[in-house]
Amino acid sequence: SCRAVSHNIWEASYIPARPGTYLLNVTWAGRLVKECPLKVSVDPPSNASKVICSGEGLRAGTMGKEIKCIIDTRSAGQDELTIKCEGPQGKKALSELNDHRDGRFTLYIRPQEVGRHSLSIQYGGHHVPGSPFQLRVSSAPDPSKVRVYGPGVEHGVLARYQSRFICDTRGAGAGQLTVRIRGPKGAFRVEMQRESQKDRTILCKYEPTEPGDYRIEVRWSGEHVPGSPFVTMIFDTEEELARFLQGGYSPAGPQANQSEFYGSIGPYSSHYGNITFPTGTMSWRGSQANIH
């Protein structure tokens, strides 16, 4: 169809029946106008259902860290890609699209608040599969907020020693909890438990089978939490524990035969005395948990 818009200005429109390359002829007074015929490429209609989105950035992220995902439109035809990401309080996250110029895009998201975000990805005005995505944004990890407590980080007597302790990560943001324990080789094993994936308090235990010095490292996203490393002294008798707590007993004391008190543990260097483990008598064991 063709219609007059104003004096000597016309508007023409047409609907191609199928995709392909067309030659467009425009004539005036029966003669082709300059530069005609024009070559017109018609792409097939877009199909948002064929857009593929992938990446951890569609599900979760952490404030201050890069959140990204991949959007693949190669099988969806040509059309406009639109992004909108909004937080729980209505704050819009900053979004940046990196066009790989092959039908693929990398989406970078920079949230302005923590909480559940709604990420809308549309192609040609239609939601792609999975959109709007529910993106959980957690606060940055804060090791200073992790609390460690329980009998397993205190001195005691082997026969009645309870090695359990709690790592409470509430308020510490998202991160990875790592527990490593050094003690007599083969004399303990590290276990971590939590009741559910949403539980932020983790029960740890190491069940020592020999007396000695046990060094417990607790890290949150690679950094020591308050009090870590914990050094616990486990004795054979109540008398040894009492003397140690009163300050009258030192594993490095000249009167003590260290191997008598510590079995396979030799001298060890700590703030309790100047002693070191002989090579091969000690071992590290540990466990990890990712918490959002």
Side-chain angles (χ1 to χ4, degrees), residues 89-121:
Q89 303 300 320
K91 292 184 179 180
K92 289 183 172 57
L94 302 178
S95 302
E96 179 183 339
L97 268 178
N98 181 13
D99 187 352
H100 297 281
R101 304 198 178 280
D102 61 357
R104 293 177 301 170
F105 301 82
T106 300
L107 171 62
Y108 297 92
I109 303 169
R110 296 180 178 85
Q112 304 301 301
E113 59 180 325
V114 299
R116 191 169 295 277
H117 285 58
S118 176
L119 172 60
S120 170
I121 301 178

Side-chain angles (χ1 to χ4, degrees), residues 167-203:
C167 297
D168 187 345
T169 68
R170 287 176 292 185
Q176 183 182 69
L177 181 71
T178 303
V179 175
R180 297 178 70 230
I181 299 177
R182 187 175 73 174
K185 188 174 183 179
F188 65 99
R189 56 192 177 92
V190 182
E191 296 181 15
M192 297 174 69
Q193 302 173 357
R194 56 175 172 164
E195 292 185 358
S196 70
Q197 290 298 311
K198 295 183 179 180
D199 194 358
R200 297 190 63 94
T201 57
I202 295 88
L203 171 64

